[in-house]
Amino acid sequence: MSEPFSSSTFRVEQPRRGPFARSQYRVMDGDGTLLALADQIGERARSERLRTYFPGKSELHARAVLLVTPEDETPLLVVDKEEGRMRTTVARPDGGLVGTFRTERVGRRYVLLDGDDKTIGDITVDLARNNFTVKDTEGRRVGHVRKKWAGIATHLLTTADKYTVEIDDPVPEPLRTLVVTTAIAMDMFLHESKDIT
């Protein structure tokens, strides 16, 4: 795991976005120190601009974000959500696959796979889609992600979602990296349809 993500507590926040919205995130440690920035990359970013005028269910559309260090923009990870709601991959900048989020039941359960497509854990989601419990294959909780309630107007009209991530260390790799990126993956799967800011 990259040094920036050695903490056991993180905050993942999205800025309020305007009409030409791109998927963007800021990753901080529990004390608020900025660890990484994530911005949408590739051809998908241009196609998202058209969808701003016809927003629909944008969480169905493919998109990818690149996480970089804030100081010198050194690439850290790529979180790549495929078309639909079935699969999101996490890869290193060199293309090496870290792991995959695979949908088992949309909005309720996701399976975590390593780079060899072997099951290493799962995520269960509460009814409100605000709490995400990550467990290993033995059923032991290894992490928890919570989407914070920011009020009705912010929730309905903006993309300014905020998450807290807690890791129950020690958690082995690559499961730990997938726990760190759970907030971004779940936001792409479930909460990215609010493009009308």
Side-chain angles (χ1 to χ4, degrees):
M1 168 49 95
S2 301
E3 183 63 33
F5 303 120
S6 59
S7 176
S8 292
T9 306
F10 300 93
R11 292 177 10 214
V12 177
E13 299 179 356
Q14 289 180 291
R16 291 179 187 261
R17 299 183 307 182
F20 293 103
R22 295 164 58 103
S23 293
Q24 295 178 320
Y25 302 91
R26 296 174 357 139
V27 181
M28 295 159 280
D29 66 16
D31 296 325
T33 302
L34 185 62
L35 304 174
L37 297 169
D39 197 1
Q40 194 164 322
I41 56 173
E43 187 63 33
R44 296 171 182 173
R46 285 189 283 278
S47 67
E48 282 297 307
R49 293 177 186 169
L50 294 175
R51 292 188 189 106
T52 300
Y53 298 108
F54 310 99
K57 286 287 195 181
S58 69
E59 73 267 11
L60 296 176
H61 300 300
R63 72 180 55 77
V65 295
L66 172 66
L67 279 82
V68 299
T69 59
E71 305 84 25
D72 57 5
E73 298 187 358
T74 300
L76 299 169
L77 296 168
V78 176
V79 180
D80 189 358
K81 183 192 149 314
E82 295 178 357
E83 192 80 15
R85 295 180 179 162
M86 297 310 295
R87 181 178 160 97
T88 294
T89 59
V90 178
R92 291 179 287 279
D94 64 6
L97 183 61
V98 173
T100 302
F101 296 84
R102 188 185 72 214
T103 302
E104 188 168 278
R105 289 189 321 228
V106 174
R108 296 292 174 252
R109 188 169 188 275
Y110 299 85
V111 176
L112 301 175
L113 308 169
D114 66 12
D116 295 322
D117 225 23
K118 178 183 172 191
T119 300
I120 57 172
D122 64 57
I123 300 171
T124 54
V125 185
D126 70 350
L127 288 174
R129 297 181 177 183
N130 291 331
N131 286 285
F132 308 88
T133 303
V134 186
K135 295 182 180 178
D136 63 17
T137 55
E138 296 175 4
R140 182 179 68 96
R141 184 184 121 151
V142 295
H144 181 259
V145 177
R146 182 173 67 90
K147 181 178 182 286
K148 292 184 177 182
W149 175 252
I152 192 72
T154 298
H155 178 74
L156 293 176
L157 301 175
T158 76
T159 55
D161 293 325
K162 296 181 179 183
Y163 298 84
T164 57
V165 179
E166 297 173 357
I167 300 176
D168 301 333
D169 279 322
V171 179
E173 287 296 343
L175 183 56
R176 191 177 197 286
T177 297
L178 292 180
V179 176
V180 170
T181 55
T182 292
I184 294 173
M186 293 299 106
D187 192 72
M188 289 176 156
F189 273 133
L190 301 172
H191 297 290
E192 277 284 281
S193 60
K194 301 175 292 182
D195 287 347
I196 53 172
T197 59

